[in-house]
Amino acid sequence: MSQVDDSMTTVVIAHASFPDIRLETEALAAIGATTVHTGNLRGDVARAAAKSADALMVTIQAVDADLIRSLENCKIIARVGTGLDAIDISAATERGIWVTYVSDYAIDEVSTHTMALLLNHARRLPQMVASVKDGAWYDAARIEPAPRLNGQVLGIIGLGRIGRATAAKARGLGLKLIAFDPFVTLDPDQECDFELVDRDTLFSRADYISLHAPLTESSRHIINAAALEMMKPTAYVINTARGELIDDAALLHAVRSGSIAGAALDVLVAEPPRADAPLLQDERILITPHGAWYSEASKLDVRRKATEDVLRVLTGRKPLSPANQPQLGP
């Protein structure tokens, strides 16, 4: 980690997700700012760097109230991504610190990954691959049942940009669409190709349930034992949003007991999971390594857009994607 130069505007890049920070360093150098790559927010050296920084860039690192209160010069905390549940926005607002995020990040990638997970279950691809590897060219007992996808019901929880992009792709495969989002209302005269339903109706009707909600206190464990009991025994749960939206223990019990058919998860509560984590032991639960966001294009987009908001704030302008409206001084 490089040392902080107190005479310059300093931006602390406190994440290890993108070890090459030349993009950020070159962009910020245009306004005379220097970058300090701490890789995390743990330890005395990293926290000291953050304390004196003019801006902080993070991915999934926790930025709690205690840390925010220690920031002496910070004008912006830029989330290099979408989810804001790890940042205490209220504390930042009280300190007059902007919190930003990349609102249009990886929409195509995450919605495509969601459909890939759905199709893996729908077409029984893991079972087919395992059957061939085991020397059984066509093992009907492992593949069946495999109902036709066209006409089945996809229930989407969260109608933000990614939820709607997922709906558009699912529509092309002939899936019927229902959705739950407490913040969305439809005009009675508005033509719509999905049906807005309450949460319990979605749980009971959907063949596939896809989560695209932000993590809040009201959405935490939205998939719990009670919800799983309402679902069809042939239903699948897909999560490319936040691990804490699902009660892991309840999900595992539901799959093992046959209450639902399976799940596909790109996000977990504990990442990375232990090698012996129970969720990894059941072939009916597909798990990918929080990679739904990834493409070469999205990796560059998220860094460029987060840096642009840092540049805007440090030059006295309003950010393009604020998560708060701090009461700034003159």
Side-chain angles (χ1 to χ4, degrees):
M1 185 181 77
S2 57
Q3 296 299 310
V4 178
D5 181 350
D6 291 335
S7 66
M8 300 182 69
T9 298
T10 304
V11 178
V12 165
I13 301 177
H15 61 71
S17 302
F18 310 113
D20 178 0
I21 61 165
R22 282 177 295 179
L23 182 154
E24 295 86 347
T25 299
E26 291 173 5
L28 291 161
I31 63 167
T34 186
T35 55
V36 179
H37 193 196
T38 65
N40 59 59
L41 288 172
R42 301 184 301 273
D44 293 341
V45 176
R47 293 179 81 88
K51 180 179 179 180
S52 60
D54 297 279
L56 187 61
M57 299 180 71
V58 300
T59 50
I60 58 174
Q61 295 75 19
V63 187
D64 58 24
D66 287 342
L67 176 59
I68 289 170
R69 281 192 289 267
S70 75
L71 303 178
E72 298 176 345
N73 303 315
C74 190
K75 301 170 183 66
I76 174 174
I77 300 169
R79 167 71 163 94
V80 189
T82 53
L84 292 161
D85 46 282
I87 301 173
D88 192 324
I89 297 175
S90 295
T93 303
E94 290 175 6
R95 293 296 303 273
I97 300 172
W98 288 101
V99 177
T100 62
Y101 66 114
V102 183
S103 59
D104 57 352
Y105 164 51
I107 294 169
D108 182 63
E109 286 80 2
V110 177
S111 57
T112 298
H113 196 88
T114 299
M115 295 311 302
L117 293 174
L118 187 154
L119 288 168
N120 261 276
H121 274 313
R123 296 303 307 150
R124 305 296 188 264
L125 295 190
Q127 293 87 340
M128 288 187 180
V129 170
S131 177
V132 173
K133 287 185 175 180
D134 292 345
W137 181 247
Y138 185 87
D139 186 347
R142 296 177 73 166
I143 296 170
E144 296 173 352
R148 178 174 289 169
L149 185 63
N150 189 297
Q152 291 193 68
V153 177
L154 171 62
I156 295 175
I157 297 180
L159 280 173
R161 298 184 184 191
I162 294 174
R164 290 177 184 269
T166 299
K169 291 173 181 178
R171 193 177 304 119
L173 294 172
L175 283 157
K176 296 179 180 178
L177 301 173
I178 60 176
F180 167 73
D181 190 321
F183 303 104
V184 172
T185 57
L186 298 178
D187 187 319
D189 298 326
Q190 178 183 358
E191 287 191 17
C192 190
D193 45 19
F194 62 84
E195 182 184 355
L196 204 59
V197 299
D198 61 65
R199 184 168 55 183
D200 291 356
T201 299
L202 185 142
F203 291 150
S204 62
R205 285 179 53 188
D207 297 296
Y208 298 90
I209 294 175
S210 188
L211 300 175
H212 301 287
L215 178 63
T216 65
E217 285 308 309
S218 61
S219 67
R220 190 181 303 275
H221 286 185
I222 193 170
I223 302 297
N224 54 29
L228 291 158
E229 281 294 322
M230 298 182 208
M231 295 179 195
K232 299 176 181 180
T234 53
Y236 291 88
V237 174
I238 302 165
N239 189 9
T240 54
R242 283 290 179 269
E244 292 88 343
L245 296 176
I246 296 178
D247 180 337
D248 284 353
L251 177 70
L252 186 62
H253 175 75
V255 172
R256 287 178 171 175
S257 66
S259 294
I260 66 169
L265 314 173
D266 185 58
V267 288
L268 301 172
V269 175
E271 295 181 0
R274 303 189 321 270
D276 61 349
L279 285 175
L280 272 61
Q281 311 309 316
D282 197 304
E283 66 176 8
R284 293 165 293 186
I285 301 176
L286 305 180
I287 296 179
T288 55
H290 204 144
W293 65 273
Y294 183 78
S295 74
E296 294 299 323
S298 69
K299 182 172 70 171
L300 291 174
D301 281 349
V302 73
R303 295 168 59 198
R304 186 180 299 112
K305 291 177 179 181
T307 305
E308 172 61 21
D309 266 346
V310 172
L311 285 165
R312 291 179 68 87
V313 170
L314 293 182
T315 54
R317 294 174 290 166
K318 184 177 179 179
L320 296 173
S321 297
N324 66 343
Q325 295 290 332
Q327 299 300 313
L328 298 179

